[in-house]
Amino acid sequence: VGFLAGYGQDADQPAVTRLLMGTAAAAVALWATFTPCFLWIFLGAPWVEKLHGNPRLKAALAAITAAVVGVILNLSLWFALHVVFTRVQDWHWGVLRLPLPEPASLDPAALILLLLACVLLFWWKRGLITTLVACSLAGVAWAQM
């Protein structure tokens, strides 16, 4: 995302300049995204390990872990829905909100890549790097067609 934001800033620039801008923007996005997480983990991990020994706090940490897993699952489903379908409308009923995709806006390339990733990860038990490389190559091949 950072690369695309930097690369697309000035279409009048030469391709090399755009690549450099994209790379710089990707580096900034990477730094801003992951540095706080790593600092939190490395600086807070010893304290969290000590808290695991406390029975009262153990339940609270388990609840926090469950909440984080739920947030990650929600975000994963939201991204998958918005990548596979180009148009998604929100359906409201009281306080409930449900994103409903428009079936005609299905992106076949995105769906095929999603299915390829699922097959590689869950059926053939391939690792994440293998899956990312295979899907990247398939995406580039699709774009060249």
Side-chain angles (χ1 to χ4, degrees):
V1 171
F3 178 84
L4 292 176
Y7 185 81
Q9 281 301 311
D10 193 358
D12 296 333
Q13 294 291 326
V16 173
T17 304
R18 294 176 70 195
L19 284 172
L20 289 173
M21 290 171 59
T23 303
V28 169
L30 183 70
W31 178 263
T33 302
F34 291 107
T35 301
C37 297
F38 282 117
L39 286 175
W40 175 257
I41 289 169
F42 291 134
L43 297 176
W47 296 101
V48 172
E49 287 301 320
K50 290 179 183 177
L51 293 176
H52 270 290
N54 188 332
R56 284 188 245 163
L57 293 177
K58 196 169 189 171
L61 289 173
I64 291 170
T65 301
V68 168
V69 169
V71 168
I72 292 170
L73 177 63
N74 180 43
L75 190 59
S76 299
L77 292 174
W78 186 91
F79 270 116
L81 190 64
H82 285 81
V83 167
V84 174
F85 294 95
T86 57
R87 288 185 301 277
V88 179
Q89 300 293 323
D90 283 340
W91 177 75
H92 297 277
W93 187 53
V95 295
L96 298 176
R97 184 180 64 92
L98 181 67
L100 294 175
E102 192 173 306
S105 71
L106 176 71
D107 182 357
L111 181 62
I112 289 169
L113 288 174
L114 173 69
L115 294 175
L116 174 62
C118 288
V119 166
L120 287 171
L121 287 170
F122 301 120
W123 191 18
W124 289 344
K125 307 287 187 209
R126 298 292 183 240
L128 187 59
I129 300 299
T130 303
T131 302
L132 287 173
V133 169
C135 288
S136 297
L137 293 175
V140 168
W142 184 282
Q144 298 302 319
M145 294 172 50

